Short mmCIF file of all heavy atoms in Angstrom, two decimals:
data_model
loop_
_atom_site.label_atom_id
_atom_site.label_comp_id
_atom_site.label_asym_id
_atom_site.label_seq_id
_atom_site.Cartn_x
_atom_site.Cartn_y
_atom_site.Cartn_z
N ILE A 25 5.50 -3.87 -0.68
CA ILE A 25 4.60 -2.82 -0.20
C ILE A 25 4.64 -2.74 1.31
O ILE A 25 4.70 -1.65 1.90
CB ILE A 25 3.16 -3.05 -0.72
CG1 ILE A 25 3.12 -2.89 -2.24
CG2 ILE A 25 2.17 -2.12 -0.04
CD1 ILE A 25 1.85 -3.41 -2.90
N VAL A 26 4.62 -3.90 1.97
CA VAL A 26 4.69 -3.95 3.44
C VAL A 26 5.98 -3.28 3.92
O VAL A 26 5.96 -2.48 4.86
CB VAL A 26 4.58 -5.41 3.94
CG1 VAL A 26 4.99 -5.52 5.40
CG2 VAL A 26 3.17 -5.94 3.72
N GLU A 27 7.07 -3.61 3.26
CA GLU A 27 8.36 -3.02 3.64
C GLU A 27 8.35 -1.51 3.44
O GLU A 27 8.78 -0.75 4.30
CB GLU A 27 9.48 -3.64 2.81
CG GLU A 27 10.87 -3.17 3.20
CD GLU A 27 11.95 -3.87 2.43
OE1 GLU A 27 11.83 -5.07 2.14
OE2 GLU A 27 12.95 -3.18 2.11
N ARG A 28 7.81 -1.08 2.33
CA ARG A 28 7.75 0.35 2.01
C ARG A 28 6.86 1.11 2.99
O ARG A 28 7.19 2.22 3.43
CB ARG A 28 7.24 0.51 0.59
CG ARG A 28 7.23 1.92 0.10
CD ARG A 28 6.78 1.97 -1.35
NE ARG A 28 6.96 3.31 -1.84
CZ ARG A 28 7.17 3.61 -3.10
NH1 ARG A 28 7.24 2.66 -4.00
NH2 ARG A 28 7.31 4.86 -3.48
N ALA A 29 5.72 0.52 3.35
CA ALA A 29 4.76 1.19 4.23
C ALA A 29 5.09 1.03 5.71
O ALA A 29 4.62 1.79 6.54
CB ALA A 29 3.36 0.66 3.98
N GLY A 30 5.86 0.00 6.03
CA GLY A 30 6.19 -0.25 7.42
C GLY A 30 5.03 -0.83 8.22
O GLY A 30 5.01 -0.74 9.44
N GLN A 31 4.07 -1.44 7.52
CA GLN A 31 2.95 -2.08 8.20
C GLN A 31 2.34 -3.14 7.30
O GLN A 31 2.52 -3.12 6.08
CB GLN A 31 1.90 -1.06 8.66
CG GLN A 31 1.28 -0.25 7.57
CD GLN A 31 0.35 0.84 8.11
OE1 GLN A 31 0.04 1.76 7.38
NE2 GLN A 31 -0.12 0.78 9.32
N ALA A 32 1.61 -4.06 7.93
CA ALA A 32 0.98 -5.16 7.21
C ALA A 32 -0.11 -4.65 6.26
O ALA A 32 -0.68 -3.57 6.47
CB ALA A 32 0.36 -6.15 8.19
N ILE A 33 -0.38 -5.42 5.23
CA ILE A 33 -1.40 -5.03 4.26
C ILE A 33 -2.75 -4.85 4.92
O ILE A 33 -3.47 -3.89 4.63
CB ILE A 33 -1.45 -6.03 3.09
CG1 ILE A 33 -0.18 -5.86 2.25
CG2 ILE A 33 -2.70 -5.83 2.23
CD1 ILE A 33 -0.01 -6.85 1.14
N THR A 34 -3.10 -5.75 5.83
CA THR A 34 -4.38 -5.60 6.52
C THR A 34 -4.43 -4.26 7.27
O THR A 34 -5.47 -3.59 7.27
CB THR A 34 -4.64 -6.77 7.49
OG1 THR A 34 -3.51 -6.93 8.33
CG2 THR A 34 -4.92 -8.06 6.75
N ALA A 35 -3.33 -3.85 7.87
CA ALA A 35 -3.28 -2.57 8.58
C ALA A 35 -3.37 -1.40 7.61
O ALA A 35 -4.02 -0.38 7.90
CB ALA A 35 -2.00 -2.47 9.41
N ILE A 36 -2.73 -1.51 6.45
CA ILE A 36 -2.82 -0.46 5.44
C ILE A 36 -4.27 -0.27 5.02
O ILE A 36 -4.79 0.85 4.97
CB ILE A 36 -1.94 -0.78 4.20
CG1 ILE A 36 -0.46 -0.83 4.59
CG2 ILE A 36 -2.16 0.26 3.10
CD1 ILE A 36 0.44 -1.41 3.50
N PHE A 37 -4.95 -1.38 4.73
CA PHE A 37 -6.37 -1.31 4.33
C PHE A 37 -7.21 -0.70 5.45
O PHE A 37 -8.05 0.17 5.19
CB PHE A 37 -6.90 -2.70 3.98
CG PHE A 37 -6.76 -3.07 2.53
CD1 PHE A 37 -5.53 -3.43 1.99
CD2 PHE A 37 -7.87 -3.10 1.69
CE1 PHE A 37 -5.41 -3.79 0.66
CE2 PHE A 37 -7.76 -3.45 0.36
CZ PHE A 37 -6.52 -3.79 -0.16
N GLU A 38 -7.00 -1.15 6.68
CA GLU A 38 -7.80 -0.67 7.80
C GLU A 38 -7.56 0.81 8.10
O GLU A 38 -8.51 1.55 8.37
CB GLU A 38 -7.50 -1.49 9.06
CG GLU A 38 -8.05 -2.90 9.01
CD GLU A 38 -7.53 -3.78 10.15
OE1 GLU A 38 -6.82 -3.27 11.04
OE2 GLU A 38 -7.83 -4.99 10.13
N GLN A 39 -6.31 1.24 8.07
CA GLN A 39 -5.98 2.61 8.49
C GLN A 39 -6.06 3.62 7.35
O GLN A 39 -6.33 4.80 7.60
CB GLN A 39 -4.59 2.63 9.11
CG GLN A 39 -4.51 1.87 10.41
CD GLN A 39 -3.09 1.82 10.97
OE1 GLN A 39 -2.22 2.56 10.54
NE2 GLN A 39 -2.88 0.92 11.93
N HIS A 40 -5.79 3.19 6.13
CA HIS A 40 -5.68 4.16 5.03
C HIS A 40 -6.64 3.88 3.88
O HIS A 40 -6.81 4.74 3.02
CB HIS A 40 -4.25 4.17 4.49
CG HIS A 40 -3.21 4.43 5.52
ND1 HIS A 40 -2.99 5.68 6.07
CD2 HIS A 40 -2.33 3.59 6.12
CE1 HIS A 40 -2.01 5.59 6.95
NE2 HIS A 40 -1.60 4.34 7.01
N GLY A 41 -7.20 2.68 3.81
CA GLY A 41 -8.13 2.33 2.75
C GLY A 41 -7.46 1.74 1.53
O GLY A 41 -6.24 1.78 1.37
N GLU A 42 -8.30 1.19 0.65
CA GLU A 42 -7.78 0.53 -0.53
C GLU A 42 -7.14 1.51 -1.51
O GLU A 42 -6.14 1.19 -2.16
CB GLU A 42 -8.89 -0.25 -1.26
CG GLU A 42 -8.36 -1.03 -2.44
CD GLU A 42 -9.39 -1.89 -3.14
OE1 GLU A 42 -10.56 -1.92 -2.71
OE2 GLU A 42 -9.00 -2.54 -4.13
N GLY A 43 -7.66 2.73 -1.61
CA GLY A 43 -7.09 3.72 -2.53
C GLY A 43 -5.63 4.00 -2.22
O GLY A 43 -4.79 4.04 -3.14
N TYR A 44 -5.32 4.18 -0.95
CA TYR A 44 -3.93 4.42 -0.55
C TYR A 44 -3.07 3.20 -0.85
O TYR A 44 -1.96 3.33 -1.37
CB TYR A 44 -3.89 4.75 0.95
CG TYR A 44 -2.48 4.95 1.48
CD1 TYR A 44 -1.81 6.15 1.26
CD2 TYR A 44 -1.85 3.96 2.21
CE1 TYR A 44 -0.53 6.34 1.75
CE2 TYR A 44 -0.56 4.13 2.70
CZ TYR A 44 0.09 5.33 2.46
OH TYR A 44 1.36 5.52 2.95
N PHE A 45 -3.61 2.01 -0.57
CA PHE A 45 -2.87 0.79 -0.86
C PHE A 45 -2.55 0.71 -2.35
O PHE A 45 -1.44 0.37 -2.74
CB PHE A 45 -3.66 -0.46 -0.42
CG PHE A 45 -3.02 -1.73 -0.88
CD1 PHE A 45 -1.95 -2.28 -0.19
CD2 PHE A 45 -3.48 -2.39 -2.02
CE1 PHE A 45 -1.34 -3.45 -0.64
CE2 PHE A 45 -2.88 -3.55 -2.47
CZ PHE A 45 -1.81 -4.09 -1.77
N ARG A 46 -3.52 1.01 -3.21
CA ARG A 46 -3.32 0.91 -4.65
C ARG A 46 -2.28 1.92 -5.14
O ARG A 46 -1.53 1.64 -6.08
CB ARG A 46 -4.64 1.07 -5.41
CG ARG A 46 -5.64 -0.04 -5.13
CD ARG A 46 -5.13 -1.41 -5.53
NE ARG A 46 -6.08 -2.45 -5.15
CZ ARG A 46 -5.79 -3.74 -5.10
NH1 ARG A 46 -4.59 -4.17 -5.41
NH2 ARG A 46 -6.70 -4.61 -4.73
N GLN A 47 -2.20 3.09 -4.50
CA GLN A 47 -1.16 4.06 -4.85
C GLN A 47 0.22 3.48 -4.53
O GLN A 47 1.14 3.57 -5.35
CB GLN A 47 -1.35 5.37 -4.10
CG GLN A 47 -2.48 6.22 -4.59
CD GLN A 47 -2.65 7.48 -3.76
OE1 GLN A 47 -2.29 7.53 -2.58
NE2 GLN A 47 -3.18 8.51 -4.38
N LEU A 48 0.35 2.92 -3.33
CA LEU A 48 1.61 2.28 -2.95
C LEU A 48 1.95 1.14 -3.90
O LEU A 48 3.11 0.97 -4.30
CB LEU A 48 1.53 1.72 -1.53
CG LEU A 48 1.64 2.66 -0.36
CD1 LEU A 48 1.39 1.91 0.94
CD2 LEU A 48 3.01 3.31 -0.34
N GLU A 49 0.95 0.38 -4.25
CA GLU A 49 1.14 -0.75 -5.14
C GLU A 49 1.69 -0.30 -6.50
O GLU A 49 2.64 -0.88 -7.03
CB GLU A 49 -0.18 -1.48 -5.31
CG GLU A 49 -0.14 -2.70 -6.19
CD GLU A 49 -1.51 -3.33 -6.31
OE1 GLU A 49 -2.48 -2.62 -6.68
OE2 GLU A 49 -1.61 -4.53 -6.03
N GLN A 50 1.09 0.74 -7.07
CA GLN A 50 1.52 1.22 -8.37
C GLN A 50 2.96 1.74 -8.32
O GLN A 50 3.78 1.42 -9.19
CB GLN A 50 0.59 2.31 -8.88
CG GLN A 50 0.95 2.79 -10.27
CD GLN A 50 0.00 3.85 -10.78
OE1 GLN A 50 -1.04 4.10 -10.21
NE2 GLN A 50 0.38 4.48 -11.87
N GLN A 51 3.28 2.51 -7.30
CA GLN A 51 4.65 3.03 -7.15
C GLN A 51 5.65 1.89 -6.98
O GLN A 51 6.73 1.90 -7.58
CB GLN A 51 4.72 3.97 -5.94
CG GLN A 51 3.92 5.23 -6.10
CD GLN A 51 3.71 5.96 -4.77
OE1 GLN A 51 4.16 5.52 -3.72
NE2 GLN A 51 3.02 7.09 -4.82
N THR A 52 5.27 0.90 -6.18
CA THR A 52 6.16 -0.22 -5.92
C THR A 52 6.32 -1.09 -7.16
O THR A 52 7.42 -1.57 -7.46
CB THR A 52 5.64 -1.04 -4.72
OG1 THR A 52 5.42 -0.15 -3.62
CG2 THR A 52 6.62 -2.11 -4.30
N LEU A 53 5.25 -1.28 -7.91
CA LEU A 53 5.31 -2.04 -9.16
C LEU A 53 6.28 -1.40 -10.14
O LEU A 53 7.13 -2.09 -10.72
CB LEU A 53 3.92 -2.15 -9.78
CG LEU A 53 3.83 -2.84 -11.15
CD1 LEU A 53 4.31 -4.29 -11.07
CD2 LEU A 53 2.39 -2.77 -11.67
N ARG A 54 6.18 -0.10 -10.32
CA ARG A 54 7.10 0.60 -11.23
C ARG A 54 8.56 0.36 -10.83
O ARG A 54 9.40 0.08 -11.68
CB ARG A 54 6.81 2.09 -11.24
CG ARG A 54 5.57 2.48 -11.99
CD ARG A 54 5.46 4.02 -12.04
NE ARG A 54 4.17 4.46 -12.48
CZ ARG A 54 3.79 4.53 -13.75
NH1 ARG A 54 4.60 4.17 -14.69
NH2 ARG A 54 2.58 4.96 -14.05
N GLY A 55 8.83 0.47 -9.54
CA GLY A 55 10.20 0.26 -9.06
C GLY A 55 10.66 -1.17 -9.22
O GLY A 55 11.83 -1.43 -9.56
#
């Protein structure tokens, strides 16, 4: 997820929120 987003998980949560993180997580899990 970090590689896909280009930022640390803490930064993803801070800048985009948990909902956005969970979307990335689901897409990355499928792949």
Side-chain angles (χ1 to χ4, degrees):
I25 294 166
V26 166
E27 184 176 323
R28 184 177 188 153
Q31 60 186 162
I33 289 175
T34 51
I36 296 169
F37 268 75
E38 289 170 5
Q39 294 176 15
H40 306 285
E42 184 176 359
Y44 177 78
F45 172 80
R46 296 299 175 195
Q47 287 178 333
L48 282 174
E49 181 181 54
Q50 184 179 349
Q51 294 165 0
T52 307
L53 175 61
R54 286 185 193 278

